[in-house]
Amino acid sequence: MSLSGEESEDHRNPSLEIDDDDDDDEEEYYDDDEEDDDDDETLLDESETQFNTSKAETLFRQIYSSNAPLRVNKIVINGNCKTKDSVIKSEFRALETATSLQELFQAASVAKDRMRQLELFDSVNITFDSGPSELSGTTNVIVDVVEDRKRLNCDFRVFSLPEAKSWPLEGSLKLKNLLGYGDLWDGSLAYGCDQMPEVSAGVSLPQFTGLFGPLKARVSLLSQDRLEFASFKEQSLGLSLGLLSNNNHDVACNFSLHTSIDPSEMSSTSIRGQLKHGLNSDLRYTFKIDKRNSPLRPTRGFAFVSASQFGGLVPDFRSSRFFRQEFDLRCAVPLGFFNAALNFGIASGVLFSQGTGFLNLPSYLPDRYFLGGNSSPVCTVGGPTSLLAFKSRGFVPTEPNTEARANDGTTENSSGKDYLGGDLAVTAFADLSFDLPLRFIREKGIYGHAFARAGSLNKMTEQSFQDMTSKKFLDSFRSSVGIGIIVPTRLFRMEVNYCQILKKHENDQGKTGLQFSFSSPL
C-alpha cells in the first residue's frame, strides 16, 4: 500500500489493488500514474482489469472502515542524499503510536503536509508494506523522497510596516539544508526612503535534538529615525531565540543592545529622560488560533491571538522592566453574493513598568504603542497597530519640545511637539470585501473593499490611570472610513484606498485623501 505525497496540480485519491494469485493475498495501493504499455490489450482484459480495480477499492473501503488493529514495525527512509534520516523520521513519529489502518492514514496525511512545509523535497511517497511474518498485525512504513535540487533562493519585495514611516524595500537570500538537518539560513536587507537600513541574518533548525518545535535564532541591526514626530533616533543590535514554535504556541527570548540619541538637541523633557544605552531583554509567549480560509482575503472563519511579554530578564539597572499583554480577535462572515465577506475585529494592548512603585514609573519609550499607518488590519494579526488615514506615530499624547540650539537652522520635527505614544491601545475595524464586475479583473485576483477603522491611545503609567473615566476613554477614539481596491502580485500586495477621517484630535497627524499601502504577498 502506498500513499503518494507528490506535489502536482491534480491530487488523485489512492485506491487499492489486489493481486489475484492463489498464493499471494498482499494488498497494495493502485498507482494512478501507472501506464499500460501493452497497446494490444483486448477489451476483455480491460474489462477484467476494471472489475479487479473496483473490487479492490470496495475491499479497501471495508478494511479502512473496519478499524482492524495494525501497528508500525519500522520506518525506512529512501532517496535522501543530503537530509538526515532523523529529520524525516521526526515528522513520522505519530505513525508509531497508530493502532489501526485508519489512524495510520490520518497520521500519514499529517506527516505528508509537514514534509511539504519543510520545503526540502520535490516529492514524497509513503508505502505500507507487510511486516515480518512472525509479527502479525504489523506494517513497515517506507518513505521515498526526492530532494529539491534548488537550495539557494533570492527574494525581493516591497511592503509597509506599521512601525515604519515609509515603504521598506527588502531583499533576502535563503540557503536550504546546508547541514542536512533541514536547516534554513537566510540574510535580508530592508531599506526605506526615510530610514536607515535593517540588516538581519537567521537560521532555523526544525525538530532539532528532539525539541517540541524548530529552533530559531536571528541577529539584526536596526536603525530607526523618529525625528519627524519625536526628537530622537534609536539603534539596536538584537538577538532573538525561538525556543518553541508550532501551530498554536510560540515562545521567543529577545536580547538587544539599545541606544537612543537626540541629534537635534531639542527633545522634550520626557524624551530627554529616556535617552540612554542599555541591554534590553524579554520573554514573549504567543498563543494563536487561525481558522480562516485565507490569511489575505478571508471569507469565513475566525482568528485569535494572545501575547504576553515580560521584559527585564538580565540584572542591568539600565534594562527596561515591563509587562505587556495583547489580544486580537477577528472574524470573517460570507455574505453569499459577489464573493463578498465581512471581516471585523478588535485588538487591545496594555503596557506597565515593573519594579518597586511601578505605578509611578514611566514606561520605556520604544516599548510603547504608536498607532496609525497604512498597513492592512485584515492581513496583520497580533495586536493594535494600524489606523488608515492617520500617519504612523502621529497620535497624541504629545509634549512640546524645547527650542533648537545652534544648528544649521533646520528642524526635521516641524510640528514643535514630540509624540510620546501610549500604554493602552485599542483598535477595531470592519472590512467588506467584494468581487469587481469585470471578469478579467477577477481572474487577476483584484477585488474591492469598503472599510471603517477606529482606535484609541492613552497613557496609563505614572498614576495616569486614576484620571481615566469611561467618558474620557470613549472620547479618545479616532475613526476613519474609506473604499479602495486591492491588487495582489508576486512581489507584494498593493492597496489603493480613499480615506475619510471622521474624528481626530487637535494634534493628530492625518488627512483625508488617497493612500497607497504595500504588504507582504505571503
Side-chain angles (χ1 to χ4, degrees):
M1 295 182 289
S2 64
L3 179 62
S4 177
E6 297 184 7
E7 299 181 16
S8 58
E9 295 183 356
D10 59 327
H11 302 281
R12 301 178 175 87
N13 294 323
S15 58
L16 187 69
E17 180 184 5
I18 301 297
D19 189 347
D20 288 333
D21 292 343
D22 294 338
D23 298 331
D24 186 8
D25 58 352
E26 180 181 355
E27 300 168 358
E28 62 181 8
Y29 276 118
Y30 176 73
D31 187 353
D32 289 330
D33 296 329
E34 181 179 348
E35 298 180 358
D36 191 353
D37 296 330
D38 188 4
D39 296 331
D40 298 330
E41 184 178 14
T42 63
L43 294 176
L44 181 61
D45 293 335
E46 291 180 355
S47 177
E48 182 179 356
T49 300
Q50 294 176 358
F51 173 77
N52 291 336
T53 301
S54 177
K55 184 174 67 173
E57 290 177 347
T58 302
L59 181 58
F60 168 71
R61 286 192 292 267
Q62 293 176 353
I63 296 175
Y64 184 79
S65 59
S66 66
N67 208 23
L70 186 67
R71 62 183 179 85
V72 174
N73 176 53
K74 64 178 180 179
I75 299 176
V76 180
I77 311 297
N78 297 323
N80 54 319
C81 301
K82 183 70 174 180
T83 310
K84 307 294 184 182
D85 286 355
S86 58
V87 175
I88 301 176
K89 287 184 177 180
S90 66
E91 307 297 337
F92 288 85
R93 289 174 182 167
L95 274 72
E96 298 177 350
T97 60
T99 58
S100 65
L101 181 63
Q102 187 174 4
E103 291 182 4
L104 274 175
F105 270 82
Q106 292 173 350
S109 178
V110 174
K112 181 189 69 175
D113 292 337
R114 292 170 63 92
M115 292 284 286
R116 183 184 297 114
Q117 292 174 8
L118 292 177
E119 300 180 357
L120 300 177
F121 309 101
D122 288 333
S123 66
V124 178
N125 188 74
I126 306 172
T127 303
F128 299 101
D129 196 5
S130 59
S133 57
E134 62 272 14
L135 298 176
S136 60
T138 63
T139 180
N140 295 330
V141 180
I142 302 174
V143 182
D144 296 296
V145 300
V146 177
E147 293 181 326
D148 186 5
R149 295 182 179 180
K150 186 179 179 181
R151 294 179 180 173
L152 185 63
N153 294 318
C154 298
D155 192 17
F156 174 81
R157 59 181 182 170
V158 180
F159 61 97
S160 60
L161 293 174
E163 66 274 12
K165 300 185 302 178
S166 58
W167 300 328
L169 182 67
E170 184 186 61
S172 63
L173 187 66
K174 298 181 180 180
L175 179 61
K176 297 186 297 184
N177 214 18
L178 178 64
L179 304 179
Y181 290 98
D183 44 298
L184 175 63
W185 303 78
D186 72 283
S188 64
L189 172 64
Y191 186 83
C193 298
D194 297 327
Q195 66 178 18
M196 295 178 65
E198 176 186 2
V199 182
S200 64
V203 60
S204 175
L205 296 171
Q207 302 292 339
F208 183 67
T209 63
L211 294 177
F212 296 105
L215 177 64
K216 300 179 180 180
R218 189 164 201 84
V219 179
S220 61
L221 175 62
L222 172 64
S223 297
Q224 186 69 55
D225 184 351
R226 311 294 190 190
L227 293 178
E228 182 177 358
F229 297 117
S231 304
F232 76 100
K233 290 184 177 181
E234 57 181 339
Q235 186 178 72
S236 63
L237 174 63
L239 171 64
S240 178
L241 299 175
L243 306 179
L244 169 64
S245 180
N246 54 37
N247 293 334
N248 300 116
H249 305 277
D250 187 89
V251 178
C253 188
N254 305 296
F255 302 90
S256 64
L257 292 171
H258 195 275
T259 301
S260 301
I261 60 174
D262 174 21
S264 64
E265 298 184 354
M266 56 176 295
S267 59
S268 60
T269 303
S270 297
I271 290 183
R272 193 181 304 116
Q274 299 222 18
L275 300 177
K276 64 178 182 179
H277 306 270
L279 174 62
N280 297 335
S281 58
D282 66 79
L283 181 67
R284 183 181 179 90
Y285 167 71
T286 304
F287 173 75
K288 181 177 181 179
I289 299 177
D290 195 345
K291 298 296 183 180
R292 300 175 299 168
N293 59 341
S294 170
L296 293 179
R297 188 187 177 184
T299 56
R300 63 174 56 88
F302 72 95
F304 173 75
V305 174
S306 172
S308 303
Q309 189 174 9
F310 302 87
L313 304 180
V314 297
D316 188 342
F317 72 94
R318 297 169 297 178
S319 177
S320 62
R321 303 183 182 278
F322 65 91
F323 170 73
R324 182 198 305 268
Q325 180 63 52
E326 297 176 347
F327 297 100
D328 196 342
L329 174 66
R330 66 263 320 278
C331 300
V333 180
L335 300 182
F337 59 89
F338 296 113
N339 197 26
L342 177 64
N343 283 267
F344 57 92
I346 184 171
S348 63
V350 63
L351 172 69
F352 277 104
S353 298
Q354 293 189 75
T356 305
F358 68 95
L359 294 177
N360 298 317
L361 299 175
S363 57
Y364 188 38
L365 187 63
D367 296 330
R368 296 177 187 174
Y369 291 101
F370 293 87
L371 299 184
N374 52 7
S375 62
S376 172
V378 177
C379 301
T380 53
V381 184
T385 53
S386 174
L387 190 59
L388 293 179
F390 292 87
K391 290 187 177 181
S392 179
R393 295 180 171 264
F395 264 33
V396 295
T398 62
E399 183 176 317
N401 53 33
T402 61
E403 295 183 359
R405 301 174 185 177
N407 52 24
D408 58 1
T410 61
T411 302
E412 293 189 56
N413 186 354
S414 59
S415 66
K417 297 180 181 295
D418 288 337
Y419 289 78
L420 305 179
D423 309 304
L424 174 64
V426 180
T427 58
F429 79 93
D431 190 292
L432 174 64
S433 62
F434 50 87
D435 282 345
L436 297 175
L438 298 179
R439 180 178 178 181
F440 76 93
I441 292 181
R442 295 196 303 269
E443 292 176 349
K444 296 295 183 180
I446 303 173
Y447 62 96
H449 74 138
F451 57 86
R453 308 280 193 269
S456 170
L457 189 64
N458 294 278
K459 182 180 179 181
M460 299 296 290
T461 54
E462 298 179 285
Q463 299 292 339
S464 297
F465 69 94
Q466 295 180 352
D467 299 328
M468 179 63 66
T469 63
S470 58
K471 184 178 183 302
K472 287 184 178 180
F473 177 70
L474 294 176
D475 289 342
S476 67
F477 275 86
R478 294 83 155 171
S479 58
S480 65
V481 296
I483 191 169
I485 61 172
I486 298 173
V487 182
T489 69
R490 187 182 66 86
L491 297 178
F492 53 82
R493 177 181 182 270
M494 181 179 70
E495 289 191 25
V496 183
N497 300 314
Y498 180 83
C499 305
Q500 173 70 47
I501 295 179
L502 300 181
K503 179 184 177 182
K504 73 173 185 176
H505 289 193
E506 180 180 358
N507 294 315
D508 288 342
Q509 298 290 325
K511 65 177 181 178
T512 295
L514 199 64
Q515 287 190 352
F516 292 86
S517 172
F518 296 88
S519 58
S520 171
L522 297 181

